[in-house]
Amino acid sequence: MGSATQKQTTLQQTSKMKLTILGCHSAVPRANTNPTSQILEIKNHIFLIDCGEGTQVELRKSKVKFNRIKHIFISHLHGDHYFGLIGLISTFRLLTRETELHIYAPKGLKELVTLQMKLAGSWTNYQLIFHELTSIESELIYEDDKVEVHTIPLDHRVYTNGFLFKEKLGERKLDMNATLNADIDVAYYNKLKQGFDVENNQGELIKNETVTKKPNKSKSYAFCSDTAYNETMVEQIKNVTVLYHESTFLEKNEQLATPTKHSTAKQAASIAKQAEVGTLILGHFSTRYDNLNDFKLEAQTIFDNVQLAADGKVFEF
Amino acid sequence: MGSATQKQTTLQQTSKMKLTILGCHSAVPRANTNPTSQILEIKNHIFLIDCGEGTQVELRKSKVKFNRIKHIFISHLHGDHYFGLIGLISTFRLLTRETELHIYAPKGLKELVTLQMKLAGSWTNYQLIFHELTSIESELIYEDDKVEVHTIPLDHRVYTNGFLFKEKLGERKLDMNATLNADIDVAYYNKLKQGFDVENNQGELIKNETVTKKPNKSKSYAFCSDTAYNETMVEQIKNVTVLYHESTFLEKNEQLATPTKHSTAKQAASIAKQAEVGTLILGHFSTRYDNLNDFKLEAQTIFDNVQLAADGKVFEF
């Protein structure tokens, strides 16, 4: 029993979704503020989202195993979201990586990285696979048996996508007491988890729902940066567990947000409210603000469950 | 007299050559080691030499005024020597720089930076002037009335230049006692400093060397990274005040240095000895070594005046 309990605990732990903020500031890297980058750990994947300058150093500080990153998602080709990527690709090579690496990014990045490698006279010794994005409609860009990733079309000064990461609905969970009482052979347990009715050792049909419980609610994470206030995303991100939405400015500086196609904290909160998300995380703060708590206070006038991103901060859901 | 003394002190101070190491490690940026970048302050110029990832943050830590950097010299297009450049160019734009910026770099960088700006849909609002280098012979790439900069052809895996920064010989210095005793009108002082003989108030010809002293010895700095052991540079860097020479490896790892076209500490010292330089600074250390003092000890078996570069370290000469 001890070992079974331990296994169950482990399963529960791995089903947690973990978000590590490597950088959450806009524009210019400074001694104490990093540009956008984050790690989403979901269903045993380590997804890297955006990769501003300095990301590889932040990855080291956060003790992320470089080799476990197999998929990198780049929202758009403004420097504060990708200038650290070529260095990371190059570092992977120097670390003699062999695992293939997938990069999902706007068209153009492949040409750029290829030129950089040509100029350096060095090519990766691992497979580097670009998935160039051009669609202005949401598309499914990654899928396996546990998780899927869709683009979220955003409204910014250049072609930009957010990303929606969704766990697939898991297996049903055995009610062990009921299963044992029903005298079902262990060989049928997998069928039960998949939702089938099965026969027990006496040849009686056992209805699935009498011996299993609903799977855990599947979790989801929507990354939306950079974007102007954009209600068209609401339907797609409806009820997500966590929404990371940029809030470069406070409402008092809305006149800066509008022409640069960024959002205010209040606008981010309005999207969160309409989409009825679980938690709103604010980020991509302009470095002009000293007191980031003002972002939280402003957002909470609209939507209650607000968190502030911070470089190095870890969220678990 | 007080003000004259003060002025003289100021002049002496500005004639110091100051080298700030922003990063001096090879290959991969880590939490505590930065790739190559340094600032040379010489004759009121602030020259940036190489620009690995993270340079702009190191510049901030070293309190260098971004706007005073007008010339950037890039040795070669391996990432650890230039991946921080595009971010810096971009930051200059965000800081609404107006001063023009000159970049001296191997051909290819202009195409790359242009592509990055095209993808971001944003162009600098200051003049960005590329001086693309292709010559395999040394060439004069910058000159004004105080200083000149020459390339030093190096031997590396891709086209690479070191850079030789030389103060021009300054004006002769007035021997004020002798000048006053000779009763020379102040209007002639500039002519004296330029080396001319002049007439005094009595119409007598005063020989220049009787009332002036030699100018200060002009200083020079040679930056040589990255390069294999390469005696052909010796003649060009003969007697420089300071030589920064890469020493990626210790002699015990010479089998790594040779195929990668890097140098050992001993080889760097041998170049310093043959060129009879004033001071040798070692840098571009491989991150495989824990005790960098071994580099100094090894070099000192050949050449005595050896210093070790370190991130953030400042040298004055």
Side-chain angles (χ1 to χ4, degrees):
Chain A
M1 269 311 271
S3 130
T5 312
Q6 200 180 353
K7 195 172 174 199
Q8 212 163 12
T9 313
T10 311
L11 282 173
Q12 279 172 355
Q13 280 175 346
T14 54
S15 80
K16 271 200 177 165
M17 189 171 72
K18 181 175 165 188
L19 179 70
T20 303
I21 307 293
L22 302 172
C24 65
H25 295 268
S26 74
V28 172
R30 301 186 306 177
N32 296 311
T33 63
N34 299 313
T36 302
S37 187
Q38 47 185 251
I39 286 282
L40 178 70
E41 293 176 59
I42 181 170
K43 290 288 178 190
N44 219 26
H45 281 291
I46 294 200
F47 291 135
L48 179 63
I49 308 167
D50 279 351
C51 191
E53 183 171 350
T55 293
Q56 59 180 308
V57 170
E58 298 310 311
L59 282 170
R60 284 179 190 275
K61 287 185 192 163
S62 292
K63 313 253 185 250
V64 175
K65 292 250 182 303
F66 279 31
N67 214 36
R68 287 199 54 213
I69 299 171
K70 291 174 188 162
H71 302 272
I72 302 179
F73 300 85
I74 301 292
S75 62
H76 65 300
L77 298 184
H78 281 158
D80 55 333
H81 293 255
Y82 88 98
F83 279 167
L85 181 65
I86 178 67
L88 187 62
I89 289 172
S90 171
T91 292
F92 282 153
R93 182 180 60 78
L94 291 165
L95 298 177
T96 66
R97 177 188 180 103
E98 291 180 354
T99 321
E100 63 184 28
L101 180 68
H102 294 264
I103 296 176
Y104 307 80
K107 188 171 163 58
L109 189 63
K110 182 180 180 179
E111 180 188 353
L112 187 68
V113 171
T114 306
L115 178 57
Q116 284 174 308
M117 291 198 286
K118 190 182 118 195
L119 292 173
S122 68
W123 305 89
T124 61
N125 37 7
Y126 56 92
Q127 251 198 299
L128 184 61
I129 300 149
F130 284 92
H131 304 264
E132 295 203 290
L133 306 177
T134 54
S135 172
I136 55 167
E137 306 287 330
S138 173
E139 52 184 346
L140 177 67
I141 54 174
Y142 177 77
E143 183 176 24
D144 62 21
D145 58 337
K146 295 280 196 311
V147 69
E148 55 186 48
V149 186
H150 300 255
T151 58
I152 306 171
L154 299 179
D155 177 18
H156 195 41
R157 304 195 302 280
V158 291
Y159 174 67
T160 304
N161 291 295
F163 300 102
L164 175 60
F165 302 83
K166 289 202 288 197
E167 293 177 0
K168 290 187 173 174
L169 203 60
E171 293 180 323
R172 294 185 69 82
K173 292 187 291 185
L174 296 187
D175 177 336
M176 279 315 293
N177 282 338
T179 308
L180 291 170
N181 284 341
D183 196 18
I184 300 170
D185 192 284
V186 70
Y188 289 109
Y189 284 8
N190 270 336
K191 276 202 162 276
L192 284 175
K193 289 181 190 165
Q194 290 159 30
F196 295 100
D197 301 337
V198 298
E199 282 187 357
N200 70 359
N201 291 328
Q202 284 72 48
E204 299 160 352
L205 188 72
I206 307 295
K207 291 294 242 184
N208 188 289
E209 59 270 27
T210 63
V211 292
T212 68
K213 298 172 185 168
K214 278 189 196 164
N216 285 329
K217 195 167 174 289
S218 71
K219 290 170 184 163
S220 52
Y221 174 64
F223 170 86
C224 297
S225 183
D226 297 352
T227 188
Y229 177 74
N230 179 18
E231 289 181 1
T232 60
M233 74 171 78
V234 168
E235 194 188 326
Q236 197 192 349
I237 64 172
K238 199 91 188 178
N239 295 126
V240 292
T241 315
V242 183
L243 166 65
Y244 177 96
H245 195 291
E246 76 126 291
S247 58
T248 310
F249 299 105
L250 291 172
E251 192 186 23
K252 66 179 180 190
N253 297 121
E254 197 176 340
Q255 83 287 359
L256 296 174
T258 309
T260 57
K261 296 212 169 189
H262 284 299
S263 300
T264 65
K266 209 165 182 177
Q267 289 171 332
S270 170
I271 296 293
K273 186 181 182 188
Q274 293 169 67
E276 298 174 81
V277 309
T279 300
L280 167 66
I281 300 178
L282 296 176
H284 201 263
F285 308 115
S286 161
T287 50
R288 81 189 56 222
Y289 302 105
D290 289 328
N291 184 6
L292 296 183
N293 205 47
D294 290 344
F295 284 82
K296 189 170 183 174
L297 295 175
E298 179 174 308
Q300 283 180 327
T301 62
I302 305 280
F303 182 81
D304 195 46
N305 194 4
V306 178
Q307 300 275 344
L308 294 179
D311 297 359
K313 195 167 175 180
V314 177
F315 296 91
E316 289 197 342
F317 298 96
Chain B
M1 270 307 275
S3 131
T5 312
Q6 199 182 355
K7 195 172 176 197
Q8 209 160 15
T9 313
T10 311
L11 281 173
Q12 279 172 358
Q13 279 175 344
T14 55
S15 78
K16 270 199 178 167
M17 189 169 72
K18 181 176 166 187
L19 179 69
T20 304
I21 307 293
L22 302 171
C24 66
H25 295 268
S26 74
V28 173
R30 300 185 308 178
N32 296 310
T33 63
N34 299 312
T36 302
S37 187
Q38 45 185 254
I39 286 283
L40 178 70
E41 293 177 58
I42 182 171
K43 290 287 178 191
N44 220 25
H45 282 290
I46 294 198
F47 291 134
L48 179 63
I49 308 168
D50 279 350
C51 191
E53 183 172 350
T55 292
Q56 59 180 308
V57 170
E58 297 309 311
L59 282 170
R60 284 180 191 273
K61 288 184 191 163
S62 292
K63 313 249 184 253
V64 175
K65 293 248 182 304
F66 280 30
N67 214 34
R68 287 199 54 211
I69 299 171
K70 291 174 188 162
H71 302 272
I72 302 178
F73 300 86
I74 301 292
S75 62
H76 65 298
L77 299 183
H78 282 158
D80 56 332
H81 293 255
Y82 89 97
F83 279 168
L85 181 64
I86 179 65
L88 187 61
I89 289 172
S90 172
T91 292
F92 282 154
R93 181 180 61 78
L94 291 165
L95 298 177
T96 66
R97 177 189 180 105
E98 292 180 354
T99 321
E100 63 184 27
L101 179 68
H102 294 264
I103 296 177
Y104 307 81
K107 186 171 165 59
L109 189 63
K110 182 180 179 179
E111 180 187 353
L112 186 67
V113 171
T114 306
L115 178 57
Q116 284 174 307
M117 291 197 288
K118 189 183 118 192
L119 291 173
S122 67
W123 305 90
T124 61
N125 37 8
Y126 57 92
Q127 249 199 299
L128 183 61
I129 300 150
F130 284 92
H131 303 264
E132 295 203 290
L133 306 177
T134 55
S135 173
I136 55 165
E137 306 286 332
S138 172
E139 52 183 347
L140 176 68
I141 54 174
Y142 176 77
E143 184 176 23
D144 62 23
D145 58 337
K146 294 282 197 312
V147 70
E148 55 187 48
V149 186
H150 300 256
T151 57
I152 305 171
L154 299 179
D155 177 17
H156 194 41
R157 304 195 303 281
V158 291
Y159 174 67
T160 304
N161 291 295
F163 300 103
L164 175 60
F165 302 82
K166 288 202 289 195
E167 293 178 0
K168 289 186 174 174
L169 205 59
E171 293 180 324
R172 294 186 68 84
K173 292 188 289 187
L174 295 188
D175 177 337
M176 278 315 294
N177 282 339
T179 307
L180 292 170
N181 285 340
D183 196 20
I184 300 170
D185 192 283
V186 71
Y188 288 110
Y189 284 7
N190 269 337
K191 276 202 161 275
L192 284 176
K193 288 179 191 168
Q194 289 159 31
F196 293 101
D197 301 335
V198 298
E199 282 188 359
N200 70 359
N201 291 329
Q202 284 72 47
E204 298 160 352
L205 188 72
I206 307 294
K207 291 295 242 182
N208 188 290
E209 60 269 28
T210 62
V211 292
T212 69
K213 297 172 187 170
K214 277 189 195 165
N216 285 330
K217 195 166 173 291
S218 71
K219 290 169 184 164
S220 52
Y221 174 64
F223 170 86
C224 297
S225 182
D226 297 354
T227 187
Y229 177 72
N230 179 19
E231 290 181 0
T232 60
M233 76 171 75
V234 169
E235 195 189 323
Q236 197 192 349
I237 63 170
K238 199 91 189 179
N239 296 126
V240 292
T241 315
V242 183
L243 166 64
Y244 178 97
H245 195 291
E246 75 127 289
S247 58
T248 310
F249 298 105
L250 291 171
E251 192 185 23
K252 67 179 179 189
N253 298 120
E254 196 176 339
Q255 82 286 359
L256 297 174
T258 310
T260 57
K261 297 214 169 186
H262 284 299
S263 300
T264 66
K266 208 165 182 177
Q267 289 172 332
S270 170
I271 296 293
K273 187 182 181 186
Q274 293 170 68
E276 298 174 81
V277 309
T279 300
L280 167 65
I281 300 177
L282 295 176
H284 201 261
F285 308 115
S286 161
T287 50
R288 81 190 55 222
Y289 302 104
D290 289 328
N291 183 6
L292 296 183
N293 206 47
D294 290 344
F295 284 82
K296 189 171 183 174
L297 296 174
E298 180 175 308
Q300 283 181 326
T301 62
I302 305 279
F303 182 81
D304 196 47
N305 194 5
V306 179
Q307 301 275 343
L308 294 178
D311 298 358
K313 195 167 175 180
V314 176
F315 297 92
E316 289 198 341
F317 299 95

